[in-house]
Amino acid sequence: MSKNSIKITTEFIKLDALLKFASMVGSGGEAKTLIQNGEVLVNGEVCTMRGKKIRPGDTVSLDDNEVTVE
């Protein structure tokens, strides 16, 4: 599994935007589909809300990639 960390300068970033920002997906449409299909985990739990607010300390997983927000 590939583990990375992403630093944000705002209070939060929305889940679909984070997936694009972290280069885990190629487009917003791809992010939307993966999230709706239940393929994205936030802190180890399936998340189907693409507008979910991801804050520093949260971990997002997709396939073999994991990103921790700082």
Side-chain angles (χ1 to χ4, degrees), residues 9-42:
T9 56
T10 53
E11 180 187 345
F12 65 85
I13 185 170
K14 290 187 177 175
L15 179 56
D16 56 350
L18 174 69
L19 293 176
K20 287 194 305 187
F21 184 62
S23 301
M24 295 171 82
V25 297
S27 69
E30 183 183 355
K32 177 182 175 182
T33 301
L34 292 170
I35 294 166
Q36 286 179 333
N37 289 343
E39 297 180 43
V40 179
L41 302 179
V42 176

Side-chain angles (χ1 to χ4, degrees), residues 32-58:
K32 177 182 175 182
T33 301
L34 292 170
I35 294 166
Q36 286 179 333
N37 289 343
E39 297 180 43
V40 179
L41 302 179
V42 176
N43 298 326
E45 296 182 11
V46 172
C47 180
T48 56
M49 301 182 319
R50 64 181 196 182
K52 168 105 174 130
K53 294 177 181 176
I54 306 300
R55 292 179 159 75
D58 287 340

Side-chain angles (χ1 to χ4, degrees), residues 46-69:
V46 172
C47 180
T48 56
M49 301 182 319
R50 64 181 196 182
K52 168 105 174 130
K53 294 177 181 176
I54 306 300
R55 292 179 159 75
D58 287 340
T59 300
V60 175
S61 307
L62 173 63
D63 297 327
D64 284 339
N65 295 314
E66 184 176 281
V67 171
T68 301
V69 178

